Amino acid sequence: MTTLLSVSGLSRRFSTDVLKDVGLELARGELVTLVGRSGSGKSALLALLAGFDQPDRGSVRIADLPTGTPPPWSTMAVLPQSFGLLDELTLEENVASPMLFGGGAVADAMARAGDLLARLGIGDLRRRYPGEISIGQRQRVALARAVAGRPKVLLADEPTAHLDHATIDLAVRLLLEFVGEGSACLVATHDPTLTARAHRRLELVDGRISEVQ
Ligand SMILES: Nc1ncnc2c1ncn2[C@@H]1O[C@H](COP(=O)(O)OP(=O)(O)OP(=O)(O)O)[C@@H](O)[C@H]1O
Ligand SMILES: [Mg+2]
């Protein structure tokens, strides 16, 4: 088993103790969901794993990087709850951007971007801008961009929150194929479909993490 993310003793206090001694591991090939009530600390945990925030205690090790090293986008990609699309780029340019920043050929990057958008049912919108599409369509662009560069680890924050049932199925299939090609994905979610089809399930309650069946 290849461990791609290893976390131990992670604690974070804001006005209260939001995360208490959190530990988890993600192995290559795993799609793992993280559930918990609104405000339970899911996004706060993802921010620590991504290096966007610093823990009060504990360590995060990503793939083979030395502990505490901020991961490059090619190693760890993040799909934020608010998407983080670039408004001045078209949808296909947004999706292609991780591949282009990684030094990929433009034609290949644009072809893969078009393919990913088509798989999520929005291939015909690829030349539009984020301001010209719906929220659920923007969420799919952000998902396509998150997997486009084949990062080793993907942290996705409620990636299906604005999708209908049939489109959630497309998103889950894409995520399962993505991890099947050798990555790992941790998904914060309230979505029962996604949770049912994950390989493992984690839950945050009162700042503590546990495995659920
Ligand atoms: N930067 C911050 N400063 C102060 N408090 C914060 C900060 N970030 C998060 N919190 C607090 O930490 C708690 C957890 O927030 P978080 O955003 O992680 O919840 P969540 O589980 O992602 O919820 P949701 O399902 O609504 O997205 C909340 O009480 C929130 O107010
Ligand atoms: Mg959140």
Side-chain angles (χ1 to χ4, degrees), residues 12-19 34-47 53 81 157-158 188-190 204:
R12 184 69 170 103
R13 184 179 173 81
F14 292 112
S15 47
T16 59
D17 289 321
V18 173
L19 297 169
L34 174 65
V35 300
R37 297 189 60 180
S38 177
S40 62
K42 302 181 298 296
S43 297
L45 176 57
L46 295 190
D53 186 25
Q81 207 164 358
D157 203 344
E158 305 203 25
T189 186
H190 296 285
L204 270 176

